[in-house]
Amino acid sequence: MQLITGMAKFKKIVVGSLMVIVWGVMFAMVIPMKSSRGQVVTVLICLILNSILAAYYSCIDRQPTSFREWLKM
């Protein structure tokens, strides 16, 4: 098990909080929205944002040198 530095721990907390905020904003926007196209676009944008944040979150401790190595993590 690797030791997590203070900065890495702080980054994980910030990124995790941002992911929760993205989901909260998504639900706050989608629930009152009347347009189904607007709902779909909002959900897709939030999924893309959360996917980017999740990829960054997985690379905070270890920085892979290639995409293949990242998939193996």
Side-chain angles (χ1 to χ4, degrees):
M1 184 172 150
Q2 294 179 349
L3 289 173
I4 299 176
T5 63
M7 190 61 174
K9 195 175 206 177
F10 175 73
K11 285 181 182 178
K12 283 190 168 219
I13 291 170
V14 169
V15 172
S17 300
L18 285 173
M19 291 173 81
V20 171
I21 289 170
V22 168
W23 284 114
V25 168
M26 181 190 74
F27 286 121
M29 288 177 65
V30 167
I31 290 172
M33 195 176 291
K34 302 212 183 307
S35 166
S36 61
R37 180 178 289 166
Q39 288 177 338
V40 169
V41 169
T42 302
V43 168
L44 288 176
I45 289 172
C46 289
L47 285 174
I48 290 169
L49 283 174
N50 259 346
S51 298
I52 292 169
L53 287 170
Y56 179 71
Y57 185 90
S58 71
C59 295
I60 289 176
D61 290 339
R62 297 174 280 171
Q63 295 182 348
T65 55
S66 66
F67 182 71
R68 181 174 284 169
E69 185 179 319
W70 178 71
L71 288 175
K72 289 180 181 179
M73 287 188 354

